[in-house]
Amino acid sequence: MDHQDNLPLSEAVFFILLSLAPGPKHGYAIMKDVEALSNLRVSLSTGTLYGALKRLLDGGWVRRVDEGQGGSGRERKSYALTQLGKGTLEAETARMQSLVAAAQKRSTAGGEI
Amino acid sequence: MNLTVDRLSRIYALLTLLYPYDFRRDFASEMQAVFQEKLNAAKQAGKWALWRDFWSELHNLPAAILTEYWLAFRDTFGRGIMFLVTEDKSWRIEGRRDAIIASLPPMLMGFGVALGALVVWEPWHTIPRWRLLTGFAIMMLPGLIIGLGGLWALIKRIPPWSHTWVGGAGMGLVLFVKTIAEERADFGLPLVSPVMDVVILILLLFILSVIIGVSAWQGWRHAGMVSLGFATMAGMASFSMATAAPFNRYDLALLAAPVGLVMASLIYLFVRKGDGGRVIAILMYGLMNAIVFFIVASIWNLPEGDPSPVIPFLIVLTGALLVGPIAGLIGKPVRRVVQGS
């Protein structure tokens, strides 16, 4: 599948994928990481996070990783990027880089942006 | 403070029950754990932070839940309406006795109207009062039986044979109220009072909606039976109209008996045969109701320029016939989303 077909990503999805890029994380860790990555600008509610995760699981961009029982005694699940998810994240990053590069080029040429 | 976290977590756990079945099966437990973790972290920052996070979750929840319902519904529908139509092809009312009971309402109504017409036969002011009352009672009796049968079916939680009865009872009640309202309107009187009339109208619409909603939950075939019950009463009402003064066409009302028999056969076909037979039964029912109504409407000598009631009535008849199957087609996927397969 061409990763370009899935672009652009919503901000929430981009940050979730970015959060999972270093390795698997469970739900709460993703939430905190997204807040940190976005300088507290994006704050995901539990419902929004799991809605997005469902779509990412359905699309095969992330997969579930069992982590055993958490502190609450409940079975804890983590999420990891799949190859498709990694490819999409890279494609989106490249797309945004090209946008920024275009803007910078105009800026350095003395134009207003 | 822990008590507050526990209570808020319990409230959240209850709220996650509002998600579609598949979603809550896959994620509810995890979401509850994450929510609790979030609150535990927030409580370190103080009571206000705790409530702020709780409010933030609550604020986002309706949109998140509605989104999941919409996506789940779209996915279920995405598999195609034909899948829903053709699934569970084996459905039918198994017992022949139950199938016959399901088919009885039009037969009862048809014979009641025809027999009542035979007893009265002449304009009401030219015959003895006892004959008029007897004929009227014979015409009304099947409606009463269907009404009681529908009530009995509701008490028995709508067994498979009863959907036509429940539909007939619901529409019968509406037509009964409409007739009384029209009679009173002739004297410039409301049914009860202007405000109460609106309440009664809303109540009747509510009853019909509940009947359709409950049967639609079971699928389009059950809701289709309810629709046939609706259409039976609406169609038979046409014959009763022919007997009203000044038309006094009791000969036309005799047709109610054979029409009732054909309608009963169509219901039998609907509950015993495959989906093809069901579609044919619905089409035939609609066609027959339309023909009957055209015949009855042909005797009305409306003053020049008065709007014809034919088109509005045909729309009502068609609507009554289609509302069940359509609601059933929507209801089954909704049920899958809410309860799972």
Short mmCIF file of all heavy atoms in Angstrom, two decimals, chain A residues 4 7-18 41 88-104:
data_model
loop_
_atom_site.label_atom_id
_atom_site.label_comp_id
_atom_site.label_asym_id
_atom_site.label_seq_id
_atom_site.Cartn_x
_atom_site.Cartn_y
_atom_site.Cartn_z
N GLN A 4 1.33 7.27 1.00
CA GLN A 4 0.79 8.59 0.69
C GLN A 4 -0.74 8.60 0.72
O GLN A 4 -1.35 9.64 0.96
CB GLN A 4 1.26 9.04 -0.71
CG GLN A 4 2.77 9.12 -0.88
CD GLN A 4 3.40 10.21 0.00
OE1 GLN A 4 2.79 11.22 0.26
NE2 GLN A 4 4.63 9.97 0.47
N LEU A 7 -2.27 9.94 3.94
CA LEU A 7 -1.86 11.27 4.42
C LEU A 7 -2.85 12.33 3.94
O LEU A 7 -3.49 12.14 2.91
CB LEU A 7 -0.45 11.60 3.90
CG LEU A 7 0.62 10.56 4.24
CD1 LEU A 7 1.99 11.06 3.76
CD2 LEU A 7 0.67 10.22 5.71
N PRO A 8 -2.93 13.45 4.63
CA PRO A 8 -2.26 13.79 5.88
C PRO A 8 -2.93 13.12 7.08
O PRO A 8 -4.11 12.75 7.00
CB PRO A 8 -2.42 15.30 5.96
CG PRO A 8 -3.69 15.58 5.23
CD PRO A 8 -3.78 14.56 4.14
N LEU A 9 -2.18 12.99 8.15
CA LEU A 9 -2.72 12.40 9.37
C LEU A 9 -3.32 13.50 10.24
O LEU A 9 -2.87 14.65 10.18
CB LEU A 9 -1.61 11.71 10.17
CG LEU A 9 -0.84 10.59 9.47
CD1 LEU A 9 0.24 10.06 10.41
CD2 LEU A 9 -1.76 9.47 9.05
N SER A 10 -4.28 13.13 11.07
CA SER A 10 -4.77 14.10 12.05
C SER A 10 -3.67 14.29 13.09
O SER A 10 -2.80 13.42 13.25
CB SER A 10 -6.05 13.60 12.71
OG SER A 10 -5.76 12.54 13.57
N GLU A 11 -3.75 15.40 13.78
CA GLU A 11 -2.70 15.69 14.75
C GLU A 11 -2.63 14.61 15.83
O GLU A 11 -1.54 14.16 16.21
CB GLU A 11 -2.99 17.06 15.38
CG GLU A 11 -1.76 17.71 15.93
CD GLU A 11 -2.02 19.15 16.35
OE1 GLU A 11 -3.19 19.49 16.65
OE2 GLU A 11 -1.07 19.92 16.37
N ALA A 12 -3.81 14.19 16.30
CA ALA A 12 -3.83 13.18 17.37
C ALA A 12 -3.18 11.88 16.89
O ALA A 12 -2.35 11.30 17.60
CB ALA A 12 -5.28 12.92 17.79
N VAL A 13 -3.52 11.46 15.68
CA VAL A 13 -2.96 10.21 15.16
C VAL A 13 -1.44 10.34 14.96
O VAL A 13 -0.68 9.44 15.31
CB VAL A 13 -3.65 9.82 13.83
CG1 VAL A 13 -2.89 8.71 13.11
CG2 VAL A 13 -5.08 9.37 14.10
N PHE A 14 -1.03 11.49 14.44
CA PHE A 14 0.40 11.70 14.24
C PHE A 14 1.15 11.57 15.57
O PHE A 14 2.17 10.87 15.66
CB PHE A 14 0.66 13.08 13.61
CG PHE A 14 2.12 13.40 13.47
CD1 PHE A 14 2.88 12.81 12.46
CD2 PHE A 14 2.76 14.26 14.36
CE1 PHE A 14 4.25 13.09 12.34
CE2 PHE A 14 4.11 14.53 14.25
CZ PHE A 14 4.84 13.95 13.23
N PHE A 15 0.63 12.24 16.61
CA PHE A 15 1.32 12.21 17.90
C PHE A 15 1.29 10.81 18.52
O PHE A 15 2.25 10.40 19.18
CB PHE A 15 0.72 13.24 18.85
CG PHE A 15 1.28 14.62 18.63
CD1 PHE A 15 0.45 15.69 18.36
CD2 PHE A 15 2.66 14.85 18.71
CE1 PHE A 15 0.96 16.96 18.15
CE2 PHE A 15 3.18 16.12 18.51
CZ PHE A 15 2.34 17.18 18.22
N ILE A 16 0.21 10.09 18.32
CA ILE A 16 0.15 8.72 18.87
C ILE A 16 1.22 7.85 18.18
O ILE A 16 1.96 7.11 18.84
CB ILE A 16 -1.27 8.11 18.70
CG1 ILE A 16 -2.26 8.83 19.60
CG2 ILE A 16 -1.26 6.62 19.03
CD1 ILE A 16 -3.72 8.50 19.33
N LEU A 17 1.30 7.94 16.86
CA LEU A 17 2.30 7.15 16.13
C LEU A 17 3.71 7.58 16.55
O LEU A 17 4.59 6.73 16.77
CB LEU A 17 2.13 7.34 14.62
CG LEU A 17 0.85 6.78 13.99
CD1 LEU A 17 0.85 7.06 12.49
CD2 LEU A 17 0.69 5.30 14.24
N LEU A 18 3.89 8.87 16.71
CA LEU A 18 5.20 9.38 17.11
C LEU A 18 5.56 8.87 18.50
O LEU A 18 6.72 8.51 18.77
CB LEU A 18 5.16 10.91 17.10
CG LEU A 18 6.49 11.63 17.20
CD1 LEU A 18 7.39 11.29 16.01
CD2 LEU A 18 6.26 13.15 17.23
N ARG A 41 -0.08 20.95 24.32
CA ARG A 41 -1.10 21.51 23.44
C ARG A 41 -2.18 20.47 23.13
O ARG A 41 -3.36 20.78 23.07
CB ARG A 41 -0.44 21.99 22.14
CG ARG A 41 -1.25 23.02 21.38
CD ARG A 41 -0.41 23.66 20.29
NE ARG A 41 0.31 22.67 19.51
CZ ARG A 41 -0.25 21.90 18.57
NH1 ARG A 41 -1.50 22.02 18.30
NH2 ARG A 41 0.48 21.02 17.90
N THR A 88 4.03 4.88 7.50
CA THR A 88 3.09 6.02 7.43
C THR A 88 3.64 7.21 8.21
O THR A 88 3.56 8.36 7.75
CB THR A 88 1.71 5.60 7.97
OG1 THR A 88 1.29 4.42 7.30
CG2 THR A 88 0.68 6.69 7.75
N LEU A 89 4.17 6.92 9.39
CA LEU A 89 4.74 8.00 10.21
C LEU A 89 5.89 8.68 9.47
O LEU A 89 5.99 9.91 9.44
CB LEU A 89 5.22 7.44 11.56
CG LEU A 89 5.88 8.43 12.51
CD1 LEU A 89 4.90 9.52 12.94
CD2 LEU A 89 6.41 7.70 13.75
N GLU A 90 6.75 7.85 8.85
CA GLU A 90 7.88 8.42 8.10
C GLU A 90 7.39 9.25 6.92
O GLU A 90 7.89 10.35 6.66
CB GLU A 90 8.81 7.29 7.61
CG GLU A 90 9.69 6.74 8.73
CD GLU A 90 10.30 5.39 8.40
OE1 GLU A 90 10.16 4.93 7.23
OE2 GLU A 90 10.89 4.78 9.30
N ALA A 91 6.37 8.73 6.24
CA ALA A 91 5.84 9.46 5.08
C ALA A 91 5.23 10.79 5.51
O ALA A 91 5.40 11.81 4.84
CB ALA A 91 4.79 8.61 4.36
N GLU A 92 4.53 10.77 6.64
CA GLU A 92 3.92 12.02 7.13
C GLU A 92 5.00 13.01 7.57
O GLU A 92 4.89 14.23 7.31
CB GLU A 92 2.96 11.71 8.29
CG GLU A 92 2.31 12.92 8.95
CD GLU A 92 1.30 13.65 8.07
OE1 GLU A 92 1.28 13.42 6.84
OE2 GLU A 92 0.54 14.47 8.59
N THR A 93 6.03 12.48 8.22
CA THR A 93 7.12 13.36 8.66
C THR A 93 7.78 14.00 7.44
O THR A 93 8.06 15.21 7.42
CB THR A 93 8.14 12.56 9.49
OG1 THR A 93 7.44 11.87 10.52
CG2 THR A 93 9.19 13.46 10.12
N ALA A 94 8.03 13.17 6.41
CA ALA A 94 8.66 13.69 5.19
C ALA A 94 7.77 14.74 4.54
O ALA A 94 8.24 15.77 4.05
CB ALA A 94 8.92 12.54 4.23
N ARG A 95 6.44 14.49 4.54
CA ARG A 95 5.51 15.45 3.94
C ARG A 95 5.58 16.78 4.67
O ARG A 95 5.66 17.85 4.05
CB ARG A 95 4.08 14.89 4.02
CG ARG A 95 3.05 15.69 3.27
CD ARG A 95 1.64 15.17 3.55
NE ARG A 95 1.22 15.45 4.91
CZ ARG A 95 0.69 16.61 5.31
NH1 ARG A 95 0.51 17.58 4.44
NH2 ARG A 95 0.34 16.79 6.57
N MET A 96 5.60 16.69 6.00
CA MET A 96 5.63 17.94 6.77
C MET A 96 6.98 18.65 6.61
O MET A 96 7.04 19.87 6.57
CB MET A 96 5.33 17.64 8.25
CG MET A 96 3.86 17.29 8.45
SD MET A 96 3.28 17.42 10.13
CE MET A 96 4.09 16.04 10.88
N GLN A 97 8.06 17.83 6.51
CA GLN A 97 9.38 18.44 6.30
C GLN A 97 9.41 19.21 4.98
O GLN A 97 9.98 20.31 4.91
CB GLN A 97 10.47 17.36 6.31
CG GLN A 97 10.95 17.04 7.72
CD GLN A 97 11.85 15.83 7.77
OE1 GLN A 97 11.89 15.02 6.83
NE2 GLN A 97 12.59 15.70 8.86
N SER A 98 8.79 18.62 3.95
CA SER A 98 8.80 19.30 2.66
C SER A 98 8.00 20.60 2.72
O SER A 98 8.33 21.59 2.10
CB SER A 98 8.28 18.39 1.56
OG SER A 98 6.90 18.25 1.67
N LEU A 99 6.92 20.59 3.53
CA LEU A 99 6.13 21.82 3.71
C LEU A 99 6.96 22.90 4.40
O LEU A 99 6.99 24.05 3.97
CB LEU A 99 4.89 21.54 4.57
CG LEU A 99 3.78 20.69 3.98
CD1 LEU A 99 2.66 20.51 5.00
CD2 LEU A 99 3.22 21.33 2.72
N VAL A 100 7.65 22.46 5.47
CA VAL A 100 8.47 23.40 6.23
C VAL A 100 9.59 23.92 5.32
O VAL A 100 9.90 25.13 5.32
CB VAL A 100 9.04 22.73 7.50
CG1 VAL A 100 10.04 23.65 8.20
CG2 VAL A 100 7.90 22.39 8.45
N ALA A 101 10.20 23.02 4.54
CA ALA A 101 11.30 23.42 3.65
C ALA A 101 10.82 24.45 2.64
O ALA A 101 11.50 25.45 2.38
CB ALA A 101 11.85 22.19 2.93
N ALA A 102 9.62 24.24 2.12
CA ALA A 102 9.06 25.19 1.15
C ALA A 102 8.86 26.55 1.80
O ALA A 102 9.17 27.60 1.21
CB ALA A 102 7.75 24.65 0.60
N ALA A 103 8.35 26.52 3.02
CA ALA A 103 8.11 27.78 3.72
C ALA A 103 9.42 28.48 4.03
O ALA A 103 9.53 29.71 3.90
CB ALA A 103 7.34 27.50 5.01
N GLN A 104 10.42 27.69 4.44
CA GLN A 104 11.72 28.29 4.77
C GLN A 104 12.37 28.91 3.54
O GLN A 104 13.00 29.96 3.61
CB GLN A 104 12.63 27.23 5.40
CG GLN A 104 12.30 27.00 6.87
CD GLN A 104 13.09 25.87 7.48
OE1 GLN A 104 13.59 25.00 6.77
NE2 GLN A 104 13.19 25.89 8.81
#
